[in-house]
Amino acid sequence: MKKLKVVWICHFSNAFVRSRLELKKHPLNRVLRGDFHDFEYIDYAIWNTNAIREFERFEDIDLHVISMHDGMKKTLQKFESNGVHYYFYRTQDDDMSLKLRRKLFKQYGDYRKNRKIVADLVDQIQPDIVHLIGAENPNYSLSVLDLPKKYPVLTILLTFMSSPNFLSNYPISKELYAYRSNIERQVLKRSDYVCTILQYAKDYIHQNIDPQKKVLPLRLAGGLSVDRSSHDKEFDLVYFSRYINKAVDLVIEAMGLVCKTHPGVRLNVIGEYDAPLKEQLDKRIAELGMTDNIVFSGSFPEYEDVLKQVVKSRIALLPLKVDFIASTLRESMSLGLPVVTTITRGTPSINKDRETVLLSETGDHEALAANIMKVLDSEELFTRLRENGFKYIEENVSNTKNMEEWRQAYYDILNERSK
């Protein structure tokens, strides 16, 4: 049987991948990033790891995964596992001179080296279809601009930087936003198909990029299998994100209000941060008299370690600014934590069938704090949100179903092009 040959262009890391790669550490990284961590390499983009696991089951798909990785000693490493072909290349972001220019002079590159590596690999593989996972990350998404039109490109959006309110709600400079959002639009123009469940993104694409662009409602493999047994609780609340600067300011302000009437409440903050941000947060926390109420745990090398830390808390405090529905919300519900979050374009849909999460307007610290206290003070509400969260996950999050839809989309695209 002839297999369908598919290339994924993405960016991810997990313990298995790192065990196969020859990696090095850059001492200067701690200076440039202000790291507080003893390690440089951690799991991220877990949805790609989940997706690969699902595709290992498909005997009719010949999957080739192309991904950059930080800290590689070699320019390119290839290996195969469970029928999946992996190609990892050293990203230009590892160039210390580039890091310094970016930090000091706000200079952003065109990633020519990255692009050539990917283009050469695609030419060698000769796939039936190319699937780009994430349009907004120029260090790998730019590579599709160099691919010949004979390769149909399917791009799935991880976020949507061209959204009108993105810049005002995300910790990013105007210069970097202009650079990255422009690249996102270039990538979407090149893409033959775009995957998103965001109606406003679909509308923008049809109004500003191409009215005939095919948009498919495909989802990521964002589900997880977890241990739902009881765990000892050390904290009342947890906020976690790969980079805590996304919304930690909202968390701190809401906590300041909660502690006025609940002085013993403890919050655990999990995720990466740099020295300037930590200094700023410590100052504000001291002003609010919460030094003993908040514990920063930093990052963890493996995704499972993050989840083990998350379940040490009773309630997930996860305000959002631009995310449609952040993966942390689904993870918290899967783990049995009631979720307190904010209204975005996606979060109200979680409550479509039943009250599953507590919502407030972004920036309304009083309303956010009030919702936190509702869950703290009501065991009935705590239990109801917890059970409704389980129901939401069971009804709406299935990695197997989502990846079967990806697989079917590949066949549909090729059938359409062959007509």
Side-chain angles (χ1 to χ4, degrees):
M1 178 182 67
K2 184 180 182 299
K3 293 186 176 183
L4 190 67
K5 191 177 290 187
V6 178
V7 160
W8 289 357
I9 300 174
C10 57
H11 185 205
F12 76 106
S13 183
N14 58 45
F16 164 71
V17 162
R18 295 192 295 276
S19 73
R20 298 295 297 267
L21 298 177
E22 294 184 45
L23 301 174
K24 58 186 177 182
K25 290 193 175 184
H26 297 300
L28 191 54
N29 270 349
R30 294 179 67 87
V31 177
L32 291 174
R33 295 168 53 193
D35 282 348
F36 286 83
H37 322 301
D38 294 328
F39 46 82
E40 286 188 49
Y41 307 116
I42 65 174
D43 293 357
Y44 53 84
I46 192 66
W47 50 84
N48 290 327
T49 295
N50 292 343
I52 290 169
R53 288 173 181 164
E54 293 294 331
F55 267 78
E56 288 175 347
R57 301 184 299 103
F58 297 147
E59 297 181 357
D60 58 331
I61 302 292
D62 183 17
L63 180 60
H64 298 252
V65 180
I66 301 176
S67 176
M68 64 182 190
H69 200 288
D70 297 334
M72 287 180 56
K73 292 182 179 179
K74 298 179 180 179
T75 301
L76 179 66
Q77 281 189 249
K78 306 177 185 179
F79 58 90
E80 184 269 339
S81 177
N82 292 332
V84 177
H85 306 272
Y86 295 87
Y87 309 78
F88 281 90
Y89 61 93
R90 184 172 61 216
T91 173
Q92 283 179 258
D93 286 328
D94 270 354
D95 184 334
M96 283 299 164
S97 64
L98 176 62
K99 289 185 178 183
L100 286 169
R101 291 197 304 273
R102 182 181 300 156
K103 189 173 184 69
L104 297 174
F105 308 111
K106 310 301 180 186
Q107 293 181 356
Y108 309 108
D110 57 8
Y111 292 99
R112 285 290 173 183
K113 291 181 182 178
N114 289 4
R115 294 164 68 169
K116 186 177 189 312
I117 290 171
V118 174
D120 288 346
L121 286 171
V122 171
D123 190 53
Q124 293 169 25
I125 297 166
Q126 292 286 306
D128 297 298
I129 194 165
V130 173
H131 192 168
L132 172 66
I133 304 174
E136 78 289 350
N137 296 310
N139 39 16
Y140 68 93
S141 66
L142 273 168
S143 59
V144 301
L145 302 184
D146 304 319
L147 301 183
K149 290 296 289 183
K150 69 177 182 178
Y151 299 120
V153 173
L154 173 69
T155 294
I156 190 164
L157 295 176
L158 299 181
T159 186
F160 190 55
M161 297 193 73
S162 298
S163 171
N165 65 343
F166 192 94
L167 179 59
S168 60
N169 286 317
Y170 194 82
I172 188 172
S173 69
K174 290 182 179 180
E175 296 81 6
L176 183 56
Y177 172 76
Y179 167 72
R180 290 181 60 183
S181 60
N182 177 58
I183 286 171
E184 179 185 74
R185 289 189 289 274
Q186 291 182 54
V187 169
L188 293 177
K189 287 178 182 178
R190 166 58 184 94
S191 302
D192 300 284
Y193 302 83
V194 179
C195 308
T196 181
I197 60 172
L198 310 179
Q199 185 60 45
Y200 72 93
K202 180 178 179 180
D203 293 342
Y204 180 94
I205 290 167
H206 286 158
Q207 293 168 12
N208 299 281
I209 294 178
D210 181 354
Q212 303 303 317
K213 185 72 68 178
K214 300 289 181 64
V215 180
L216 309 177
L218 301 183
R219 300 171 183 266
L220 299 167
L224 65 155
S225 177
V226 298
D227 175 13
R228 289 183 176 176
S229 58
S230 60
H231 300 271
D232 293 336
K233 304 298 183 181
E234 299 179 21
F235 305 95
D236 300 283
L237 301 159
V238 63
Y239 170 72
F240 66 107
S241 177
R242 185 183 175 193
Y243 301 108
I244 68 170
N245 62 344
K246 281 189 173 183
V248 71
D249 56 326
L250 304 182
V251 170
I252 299 302
E253 295 305 318
M255 273 291 293
L257 297 173
V258 171
C259 287
K260 289 181 179 180
T261 55
H262 297 67
V265 168
R266 300 184 74 223
L267 166 74
N268 189 203
V269 177
I270 306 170
E272 288 192 46
Y273 52 83
D274 59 24
L277 175 62
K278 184 60 163 55
E279 182 179 350
Q280 174 186 337
L281 294 176
D282 286 343
K283 179 180 178 182
R284 182 57 179 155
I285 289 169
E287 291 173 351
L288 294 170
M290 299 190 301
T291 303
D292 296 330
N293 299 88
I294 301 178
V295 175
F296 289 84
S297 295
S299 297
F300 291 84
E302 296 186 24
Y303 180 65
E304 294 300 324
D305 297 328
V306 175
L307 300 183
K308 289 176 182 178
Q309 185 65 26
V310 169
V311 295
K312 293 180 181 180
S313 299
R314 296 184 68 246
I315 302 164
L317 172 56
L318 301 169
L320 306 178
K321 293 183 179 179
V322 296
D323 297 270
F324 186 70
I325 300 175
S327 60
T328 52
L329 272 65
R330 293 187 292 268
E331 290 159 355
S332 297
M333 287 186 279
S334 296
L335 292 167
L337 276 66
V339 173
V340 178
T341 186
T342 50
I343 297 171
T344 67
R345 292 177 184 265
T347 51
S349 68
I350 300 175
N351 288 342
K352 177 170 64 72
D353 297 320
R354 61 189 72 89
E355 186 178 47
T356 304
V357 298
L358 295 189
L359 296 171
S360 60
E361 294 288 346
T362 299
D364 188 341
H365 308 313
E366 291 80 5
L368 184 60
N371 279 340
I372 295 169
M373 290 184 282
K374 285 179 183 177
V375 189
L376 289 173
D377 295 339
S378 173
E379 195 62 33
E380 184 277 330
L381 178 60
F382 176 96
T383 301
R384 177 156 49 87
L385 293 175
R386 184 174 187 270
E387 295 302 320
N388 288 348
F390 287 152
K391 291 177 183 177
Y392 176 85
I393 294 299
E394 291 167 0
E395 295 170 357
N396 295 280
V397 181
S398 169
N399 292 342
T400 298
K401 177 177 179 292
N402 292 346
M403 294 306 98
E404 287 174 348
E405 290 178 353
W406 282 25
R407 173 178 170 272
Q408 185 58 51
Y410 299 156
Y411 282 104
D412 292 343
I413 288 169
L414 294 180
N415 288 337
E416 181 180 283
R417 289 175 66 92
S418 65
K419 293 179 181 178

